[in-house]
Amino acid sequence: MDEKCCHTEHKHMQKAEPKKGVKVIYTCPMHPEVIRDEPGLCPGCGMALIPKEEKPGEYDISELSHKDHEAAMTNPQMAKKMEADMRRRFWISFLLSIPIFLYSPVGINFFKLNLPTPIPINWLLLILTTPIVFWTGSIFITGTYFSLKARKLNMSVLIATGVLAAYLFSVLLTIMRPGSETFYEAAALLVTFVLFGHWMEMKSRRGTSDALRALFDLVPPQAKVIRDSKEIAIPSAEIIHNDIVVLRPGDKVPVDGIITEGESSIDESLVTGESIPVAKKVGDKVVGGSVNQTGTVKFKATQVGSETVLAQIIKMVETAQNSKAPGQRIADKAAGWLVIVAIGSGLAAFLGWYFGAGAGLFIALTFAVSAVVIACPDALGLATPTAVAVGTGIGAKHNILIKDAATLENTSRLNAIVLDKTGTLTEGKPKVVDVAAFNGFTEHEVLRYEASLEAGSNHPLAKAIIEETERQNALPLEPIEQFQSIAGQGLKAVIKGEIVLAGKERLLEDNGVNVEGARETLDKLVSEGKTLSLLAVSGKLAGVIAAADTIKPTAKKTVEGLKKLGIETYMITGDHEGVAKAVGKELGIDRIFAGVLPGDKAKYVKKLQDEGKFVAMVGDGINDAPALAQADIGIAIGAGTDVAIETGNIVLMKSDPYDIVAAIRLSKATVVKMKQNLFWAAIYNVLAIPIAAGVFYNSLGWSLRPEISALLMSASSIIVATNAVLLKRVEPKLRA
């Protein structure tokens, strides 16, 4: 690929061969809202449009990763070249601007310089300024042409007007008044500093592009599959549904699927954020982009291409990068009006001085040019997109995926949050927390008898009992005879010639087992919201095993963090009130909705909205989808839940509830930067335009030369771009 890459010379990049069944559209790296069906130049800035490959309703990560990176939406390679080109333009302008400034009236008069002049100064300045205006600054002139052709007024029109006004006025002075002061430095500085602002914006955008490139690279270029009873290597992009994929230690998982053979530990940290490798066996799900650690496994491909979790993650981040925050839409509308204000200010200044004050033509033009130059609010166009780019990039880095700029901004407005219990605040699976023995039996005997009965069951409670038995080394399990499963009650079998019962209290009572001697213990465990399995041996109560859905380590810290942010916290669950209250008490949540059917969760969210609250819903599964959709901000917690990714506005990939607090803090910090940027983008206009137009010249002697006007305008753009980058300083505070 040719390394030379200029915005108006990207013709070698424009021709992207579309893949079969894939539509190629084109977008601008600086104005992603610009979408075209064919290559060309951006009507807003004149940059060459880059290809964005899109299959309706799909997004094939494999294709984009290994066959045509240049067709990726964020296009990391192109983004890098664009940034390099903008950087090159800036440095050339900057180096040429140094002698221009030193030879300018400001340099000579202010710094008292007496530099050698091989040719007349004005002609030297003309030679040095011309390449800045018509080469490094050509993107603004080209952008103005396309904007006016489309009958739109935007930042390019405003910048080009200021640059050309200062440049052409100086050329006129050079020809008609060879020895007079000119304003070449104003045109040069305006281009230079606007280019610097654009460079900073592209740099902040590319930070996220680089992160996405890392996600692209998680997909291996090739994978091993079973075809015609033979193991063959094929490109990952060619894997189809139901293909059997072979993974050996060290292999990356190419697509999502279900393990059909073998066991292993798989590192999912790069996809989910979970640092500990996850043990996988037959029936477990594997996620594309994760890394196989130990054993050899085979899995059936269930989601390929655009269906994979990784592809959806990348699509989500890209959408966020290319979306507009509400504040940005206001800024875009304001830009068109400011073009009129700028030109109107210049015209008013000229008419006022030439006809009103009776000043000479060149004096009137000087004030007019100054007013036009300083009215260029290029920083307004940078104010929100730079903050959004940095904010969403920080979120993605911390496994907090924000779907769009509006969500990033609106999350700061939350004043109420509804938390699902199971899987969100709790682990979502039972764990044995108490074992009590009665009538001469030991705890190990209770566990061993229960585990022997449950050995063949896939019930979550059975698994928890077996895991606890293994953990306490209450082995070996006993052989069982005459096994019976009693629907809704429990299990019955013969162990060592003794009839053994395990299950609900009713099962024991129906078989004549007296449990009243353990009533106090049983009632206490029930009041704590625990699930009980009672054990009886030969008609006597042997013991009870209590299990509970354990609270996540960071759940309490999450609730405390939300309260510190002034957000009302609610918990919603389908569990009965006793369990809900026990969890709520431990976490410090007073407002609890218990016994709620999955379909009714949205009603509770709606009720809070009707009370005037701006509500977020946090859930982890299909049953939470209606509530996630109903909420002002839907936050899906947990990786791999397709419906969560589709329904939630924010996806927390690590399944860590404290990321809720981090997401809100990130939103608040980003909004602060947006407001700061909008202030810096506008304040100088409000204060400086009247001065530049000469309103206070006669009364106070205040005036602004065009070059000083350009410097102030450009300083505003630099402040905005730099301030957005400073958002990264919030990272250490996200999880504090």
Side-chain angles (χ1 to χ4, degrees), residues 104-106 181-183 185-186 366 370 703-710:
S104 71
V106 174
E181 292 186 355
T182 57
F183 310 103
E185 69 276 15
T366 298
S370 292
S703 66
L704 282 174
R705 286 179 56 84
E707 64 271 16
I708 304 300
S709 300

Side-chain angles (χ1 to χ4, degrees), residues 129-153:
T129 306
T130 299
I132 295 178
V133 174
F134 294 106
W135 181 56
T136 61
S138 61
I139 56 175
F140 307 120
I141 298 173
T142 306
T144 297
Y145 169 77
F146 284 100
S147 297
L148 295 177
K149 188 177 179 181
R151 298 182 179 182
K152 293 182 178 180
L153 299 176

Side-chain angles (χ1 to χ4, degrees), residues 463-661:
K463 291 182 178 179
I465 291 171
I466 293 168
E467 288 174 1
E468 183 65 16
T469 304
E470 292 174 347
R471 191 185 72 80
Q472 293 200 25
N473 198 29
L475 301 169
L477 300 183
E478 304 287 355
I480 62 174
E481 300 175 354
Q482 302 177 33
F483 177 83
Q484 297 179 54
S485 177
I486 303 167
Q489 298 296 317
L491 306 172
K492 183 178 181 180
V494 175
I495 299 177
K496 295 181 180 178
E498 298 180 294
I499 297 175
V500 180
L501 302 168
K504 294 183 178 180
E505 183 177 333
R506 183 178 173 183
L507 173 66
L508 273 64
E509 291 176 345
D510 290 346
N511 285 271
V513 180
N514 187 352
V515 300
E516 292 306 314
R519 178 56 58 194
E520 185 178 347
T521 301
L522 299 178
D523 290 346
K524 179 177 179 294
L525 294 173
V526 170
S527 68
E528 294 172 350
K530 298 169 182 177
T531 301
L532 307 185
S533 179
L534 282 68
L535 177 75
V537 180
S538 296
K540 292 182 180 180
L541 178 66
V544 59
I545 297 176
D549 186 4
T550 56
I551 294 173
K552 290 184 176 180
T554 59
K556 189 171 183 178
K557 184 182 177 183
T558 300
V559 175
E560 293 172 348
L562 291 171
K563 288 183 177 180
K564 287 179 181 178
L565 291 170
I567 298 173
E568 296 180 12
T569 306
Y570 303 80
M571 185 178 76
I572 192 167
T573 179
D575 283 344
H576 60 78
E577 192 171 351
V579 174
K581 283 187 175 180
V583 174
K585 182 179 180 181
E586 187 169 346
L587 296 178
I589 302 175
D590 300 321
R591 303 175 180 89
I592 297 169
F593 306 131
V596 181
L597 296 174
D600 292 335
K601 289 184 178 181
K603 295 179 181 178
Y604 286 87
V605 174
K606 179 67 164 54
K607 182 181 178 182
L608 294 175
Q609 291 173 322
D610 292 340
E611 294 174 5
K613 295 180 174 63
F614 197 77
V615 184
M617 170 68 194
V618 185
D620 71 319
I622 295 174
N623 62 331
D624 299 315
L628 290 171
Q630 175 63 49
D632 298 292
I633 302 291
I635 303 176
I637 186 167
T641 307
D642 294 339
V643 70
I645 291 178
E646 290 295 326
T647 311
N649 304 104
I650 299 174
V651 179
L652 310 178
M653 297 301 296
K654 290 195 311 183
S655 299
D656 184 351
Y658 197 68
D659 281 342
I660 301 167
V661 179

